Amino acid sequence: MEKIIFHIDVNSAYLSWEAVYRLQQGDELDLRTIPSAVGGDPVKRHGIILAKSLPAKPYKIQTGESLMAAFQKCPFLTVVPPHYDLYLRSSNALIELIGEYSAQIQRYSIDECFVDFTDMVALFGDPIETAHVIRERIKRELGFTVSIGISSNKLLAKVASDLKKPDAVTTLFPEEIATKMWPLPVEELFMVGRATVPKLNFLGIETIGDLANYDLEVLKTALKSHGVLIWNYANGIENSDVKKSNRLAIKSIGNSSTIPFDIDNRREAHLMLLSLSEMVAMRLRDSQYLARLVSVSYKTHAFNSTGHQKKFEIPTDHTSEIYGYAKKLFDEIWDGTPIRHLGVRVSEFCENDFVQLHLFDEFTTQKNNRLDRVIDELRGRFEPKAIMRGSFIGSGIKPMTGGVGEDDFPLMSSIL
DNA sequence: TCTGGGGTCCTAGGACCC
DNA sequence: TCTGGGGTCCTAGGACCC
């Protein structure tokens, strides 16, 4: 039987949520009605556009571009800083509402989800009408708009939701592929990014239809497995299930940050690594995993990036050990070039079963373990700053760097 | 116009073993 | 001494997503 899949996408999510919140707080102005954007702080060198309003679109404001560039195009652009807590709460409210229509929901990102509606047709009736009911309810009850795509698989549903924005419901069933999807430029296809477009253009492929009808063998030679993937997508072939999101399915945990100033000495670099390790390790303990692989990466002032990683015999979730590894890895590769951006990531997880905790070095392990958990608890109960290492005072570096905690869910890079 | 931060997956080359 | 090929593990780097 053919499946019925919805893809639900919040229109200009960060900006919409910001606008709704401000209206609720009594603001007169609706950010969505003027050229506006959510953006970072240029002084801290985080200055890019994260989301833009519809009225900002005619000015060709692009997500990801620098605020400076945006102001050049639209000098009176209103830019507000991001509030990730608010976005997480808004996202949760959305998922809760959608949950009334199906239990089969895959959160794909903070502002997108897939819904398997196949078994719900018997209960709610026509999928298109139901999608409109959901769309209307979200607008009325939550105050923002969504675009809903409907098809028989996730890929087509996702493409469909993109066809009409904002506040719309669009179908893209297999028989509609040739008319609705094939005329689109190939860069609109999921998984065709910056690096692939020129390669496809070189082969004479300009539209999704060109790709769909191209010789698969030639494509395979030129683009390997990625070529096969996007050829299938161009033909609407994709058959993965809507997987209920499971936080324990996460494969890695990392935090990274652009430092407001270039770091040119080992001491400050280590302090920054400690700050990042604190957050990574806390999230790791919260995930109930131990990690075997620690990676460190950095970007230089000139934007060259380098990384180094190593597997360790004994899986851990201790802040002190992760920091120790990170520091060692960093020292092995850094040549003194001024650093703009630093990151720490852990992966290769195994369960943190009780047994594993005292296999080796019982005393230190248990001591470290208790210390980490007490700190986690205090930080959870009060605020992260409740426990702060003295070395950070006056350093210009925050005692913990990075975000995403309790409510994180895995974001898949490819629909599968 | 100097370009965030969170992820996943793939590939290529070298080491090592049989 | 020089020769072969296959498998697996490890690491760096890059492509893609939102």
Side-chain angles (χ1 to χ4, degrees):
Chain A
M1 190 182 102
E2 206 175 54
K3 285 192 279 191
I4 297 289
I5 308 294
F6 290 179
H7 177 255
I8 304 180
D9 192 320
V10 178
N11 303 127
S12 315
Y14 287 6
L15 190 104
S16 298
W17 291 334
E18 204 63 52
V20 171
Y21 180 73
R22 282 159 190 259
L23 292 175
Q24 283 170 352
Q25 297 305 299
D27 260 30
E28 298 283 309
L29 179 69
D30 185 336
L31 288 173
R32 291 168 291 191
T33 63
I34 59 165
S36 65
V38 176
D41 179 356
V43 176
K44 291 183 184 155
R45 307 203 293 190
H46 299 200
I48 62 157
I49 302 284
L50 296 160
K52 59 183 184 299
S53 69
L54 232 54
K57 224 174 187 172
Y59 297 92
K60 303 234 179 337
I61 306 293
Q62 307 277 343
T63 300
E65 78 181 336
S66 69
L67 288 193
M68 215 121 62
F71 281 127
Q72 206 110 74
K73 297 175 188 173
C74 178
F76 49 90
L77 185 72
T78 302
V79 177
V80 301
H83 299 98
Y84 295 101
D85 289 3
L86 168 67
Y87 310 151
L88 209 49
R89 288 203 305 276
S90 307
S91 174
N92 289 341
L94 172 72
I95 296 299
E96 199 175 315
L97 192 155
I98 297 168
E100 293 179 34
Y101 297 88
S102 173
Q104 296 299 312
I105 302 177
Q106 178 179 351
R107 288 180 90 159
Y108 184 67
S109 73
I110 196 157
D111 65 343
E112 275 178 50
C113 67
F114 293 100
V115 183
D116 190 331
F117 195 70
T118 314
D119 296 335
M120 299 295 127
V121 178
L123 194 61
F124 293 102
D126 182 60
I128 299 172
E129 281 174 30
T130 312
H132 278 292
V133 172
I134 295 172
R135 178 185 61 77
E136 280 292 339
R137 275 197 61 196
I138 293 168
K139 185 160 65 164
R140 195 175 61 241
E141 295 172 30
L142 303 177
F144 54 86
T145 64
V146 296
S147 288
I148 304 183
I150 306 176
S151 188
S152 52
N153 67 41
K154 292 198 291 191
L155 176 91
L156 291 173
K158 187 163 163 57
V159 174
S161 69
D162 228 33
L163 291 176
K164 215 167 142 201
K165 293 187 280 194
D167 199 19
V169 173
T170 313
T171 64
L172 179 57
F173 287 107
E175 59 272 20
E176 301 176 283
I177 290 174
T179 54
K180 288 190 179 177
M181 185 165 86
W182 283 0
L184 300 176
V186 75
E187 55 265 36
E188 307 259 309
L189 186 63
F190 183 68
M191 289 304 282
V192 175
R194 235 176 14 151
T196 309
V197 173
K199 293 181 198 168
L200 294 177
N201 289 165
F202 181 75
L203 296 174
I205 298 169
E206 302 284 340
T207 67
I208 298 181
D210 292 343
L211 176 59
N213 295 292
Y214 201 81
D215 187 297
L216 180 56
E217 291 308 314
V218 179
L219 210 59
K220 211 185 279 184
T221 313
L223 296 170
K224 310 280 160 69
S225 66
H226 188 235
V228 180
L229 180 84
I230 59 176
W231 185 87
N232 279 319
Y233 285 178
N235 281 287
I237 301 167
E238 194 275 325
N239 58 11
S240 65
D241 287 325
V242 171
K243 297 182 260 295
K244 289 191 71 175
S245 310
N246 171 10
R247 56 202 296 268
L248 291 181
I250 222 161
K251 302 258 172 64
S252 75
I253 293 174
N255 287 106
S256 66
S257 182
T258 296
I259 309 130
F261 50 92
D262 283 342
I263 285 184
D264 61 0
N265 66 86
R266 211 169 284 280
R267 187 184 55 80
E268 281 181 328
H270 286 180
L271 209 52
M272 190 63 200
L273 287 172
L274 174 58
S275 177
L276 291 160
S277 300
E278 288 266 24
M279 183 58 84
V280 168
M282 195 177 84
R283 292 174 57 204
L284 178 61
R285 291 189 288 273
D286 186 53
S287 78
Q288 299 172 38
Y289 280 132
L290 300 177
R292 276 185 62 204
L293 182 71
V294 179
S295 319
V296 161
S297 63
Y298 65 76
K299 244 184 248 173
T300 64
H301 180 77
F303 257 83
N304 296 316
S305 52
T306 318
H308 195 31
Q309 65 179 58
K310 206 161 207 150
K311 257 185 157 156
F312 296 95
E313 288 308 309
I314 308 165
T316 186
D317 65 0
H318 297 152
T319 301
S320 60
E321 283 186 57
I322 290 167
Y323 170 53
Y325 292 143
K327 196 161 53 167
K328 198 169 135 209
L329 287 165
F330 175 80
D331 287 348
E332 281 172 13
I333 50 166
W334 189 49
D335 61 3
T337 316
I339 293 172
R340 176 191 174 93
H341 180 271
L342 255 176
V344 174
R345 176 169 297 278
V346 294
S347 51
E348 306 236 329
F349 296 150
C350 56
E351 306 289 333
N352 70 351
D353 288 332
F354 178 54
V355 195
Q356 307 209 13
L357 291 177
H358 46 89
L359 273 176
F360 329 87
D361 198 2
E362 192 167 337
F363 181 70
T364 3
T365 302
Q366 290 199 351
K367 201 180 71 179
N368 271 337
N369 205 42
R370 275 209 310 276
L371 179 62
D372 281 337
R373 309 234 169 229
V374 166
I375 290 174
D376 288 350
E377 217 231 310
L378 287 173
R379 281 180 173 153
R381 207 163 356 139
F382 302 102
E383 53 168 335
K385 275 192 289 189
I387 305 278
M388 172 171 166
R389 296 180 197 249
S391 44
F392 286 105
I393 294 166
S395 71
I397 294 171
K398 292 186 294 181
M400 292 185 85
T401 297
V404 186
E406 310 206 356
D407 282 307
D408 52 347
F409 41 87
L411 176 136
M412 315 297 225
S413 69
S414 65
I415 306 177
L416 221 118

